[in-house]
Amino acid sequence: AFSLAGVRAPGKGKPGQPNEPYSDEAMAFVRHQCMQRDVQVEIESVDKTGTFLGSLYVDKMSLGLTMLERGLASLHPMFNVDRTPSGHLLKQAE
């Protein structure tokens, strides 16, 4: 599995639970940006569950940065801007 480093998108609710606000919009945006397109993935680390963490680029644009700028995601509460090369840009975009 892969996750955008430091970026938290709103999630779908578990059965019987509501979705987080803007989860449908965030999912639609990611699908529109990524489906049937060439993307570049930069792996920065692996978390304790084995999920790869990093950045994803579509046409040289950072997906995480774009989502933050559009208000479709937020920075993870435990995110340390110094742990990733684009950390300060992500913080500024939020």
Side-chain angles (χ1 to χ4, degrees):
F2 173 80
S3 186
L4 296 171
V7 178
R8 187 187 177 290
K12 296 280 189 179
K14 294 181 177 157
Q17 299 290 321
N19 294 340
E20 291 182 36
Y22 303 106
S23 63
D24 291 333
E25 292 85 350
M27 180 62 79
F29 177 78
V30 170
R31 283 185 176 150
H32 177 75
Q33 293 296 308
C34 297
M35 295 294 284
Q36 301 299 315
R37 296 179 189 240
D38 291 331
V39 300
Q40 181 181 358
V41 175
E42 288 183 4
I43 304 299
E44 298 166 10
S45 63
V46 180
D47 72 9
K48 61 185 173 189
T49 65
T51 299
F52 293 97
L53 303 173
S55 300
L56 187 143
Y57 298 90
V58 182
D59 296 327
K60 299 183 181 180
M61 297 292 292
S62 166
L63 180 66
L65 185 64
T66 303
M67 290 181 72
L68 288 166
E69 290 172 340
R70 292 175 179 244
L72 296 172
S74 60
L75 285 181
H76 190 281
M78 301 299 291
F79 179 63
N80 179 350
V81 297
D82 297 321
R83 289 191 66 202
T84 179
S86 61
H88 294 283
L89 291 174
L90 294 174
K91 181 68 175 171
Q92 186 178 12
E94 187 185 42

